[in-house]
Amino acid sequence: AQSVTQLDSHVSVSEGTPVLLRCNYSSSYSPSLFWYVQHPNKGLQLLLKYTSAATLVKGINGFEAEFKKSETSFHLTKPSAHMSDAAEYFCVVSDGDFGNEKLTFGTGTRLTIIP
Amino acid sequence: NAGVTQTPKFQVLKTGQSMTLQCAQDMNHEYMSWYRQDPGMGLRLIHYSVGAGITDQGEVPNGYNVSRSTTEDFPLRLLSAAPSQTSVYFCASIGTSGSEDFGPGTRLTVL
């Protein structure tokens, strides 16, 4: 069985400072891992994904995440927060074969940017 | 491509009413799924389909039915709506990128 834990339900950072959103996962297989972002009253947008290639994954809008198997973590980072980054972020794990995946979502981290 | 489309965007039902949430994709994706999103609980998988004619239950299937008669369409049916089904519903599909493309969501309120 797979599961994902987002360690913080709410993170606040000042504009221009680094962002760290933490995610730990549990999977029986070699997992695929994703980060999605959801802006208020909007749908979900894929930020980045890890699928057993490079462990440091770069995504859109300056975000990146590092897959650490020994720590079962996939934390999302950004060097400098922007006001437009304020949103809810979901860490997602999948350990099925391609075409037959089941995704398990974390409960989300709400990111607030302080001007 | 229109991507994943959902209708309606908003819906209010009375307890016991039935309705169908529509989902369609024009990307020829085999895998489609339905999620509900509730505050503090992330997204939970209701039902999914790996191709036309094949459906299976997800984490929270009770109270919902699905069918997949074509690759393009994956409707979600509520046979007898309950207030506990008040939620935002997202349809999604997976293509060769391996990541899910989500529809814009349907906000459902059951009174």
Side-chain angles (χ1 to χ4, degrees), chain A residues 30-34 49-54 57 67 74 101, chain B residues 97-99:
Chain A
S30 295
S32 295
L33 293 156
F34 309 83
K49 62 180 179 180
Y50 165 79
T51 54
S52 74
V57 182
F67 173 72
F74 191 58
E101 292 92 337
Chain B
S97 68
S99 58

Side-chain angles (χ1 to χ4, degrees), chain A residues 38-74:
Chain A
Q38 184 179 32
H39 287 92
N41 298 313
K42 300 288 187 183
L44 291 113
Q45 180 184 19
L46 179 67
L47 272 180
L48 52 80
K49 62 180 179 180
Y50 165 79
T51 54
S52 74
T55 56
L56 182 62
V57 182
K58 294 188 183 297
I60 61 172
N61 301 335
F63 284 94
E64 63 182 36
E66 186 171 8
F67 173 72
K68 291 187 176 181
K69 186 175 182 178
S70 60
E71 300 176 9
T72 60
S73 69
F74 191 58

Side-chain angles (χ1 to χ4, degrees), chain A residues 32 34 36 38 41-46 48-49 51 88 90 92 94 98-108, chain B residues 31 35 37 40-45 48 50 56-58 90 94-104 107:
Chain A
S32 295
F34 309 83
Y36 281 85
Q38 184 179 32
N41 298 313
K42 300 288 187 183
L44 291 113
Q45 180 184 19
L46 179 67
L48 52 80
K49 62 180 179 180
T51 54
E88 187 143 23
F90 293 95
V92 182
S94 169
F98 174 70
N100 194 25
E101 292 92 337
K102 283 188 187 181
L103 298 190
T104 299
F105 281 74
T107 53
Chain B
Y31 184 98
Y35 295 87
Q37 183 180 28
M41 303 187 76
L43 277 79
R44 293 180 292 169
L45 182 65
Y48 67 100
V50 299
D56 206 348
Q57 296 180 348
F90 287 98
I94 290 181
T96 55
S97 68
S99 58
E100 285 195 301
D101 295 310
F102 284 85
R107 189 173 296 274

Side-chain angles (χ1 to χ4, degrees), chain B residues 35-77:
Chain B
Y35 295 87
R36 59 177 291 173
Q37 183 180 28
D38 302 292
M41 303 187 76
L43 277 79
R44 293 180 292 169
L45 182 65
I46 304 172
H47 285 285
Y48 67 100
S49 169
V50 299
I54 306 170
T55 63
D56 206 348
Q57 296 180 348
E59 181 185 355
V60 287
N62 292 342
Y64 307 95
N65 281 351
V66 292
S67 61
R68 186 90 181 273
S69 56
T70 67
T71 299
E72 294 78 19
D73 300 298
F74 191 43
L76 178 71
R77 278 182 287 276

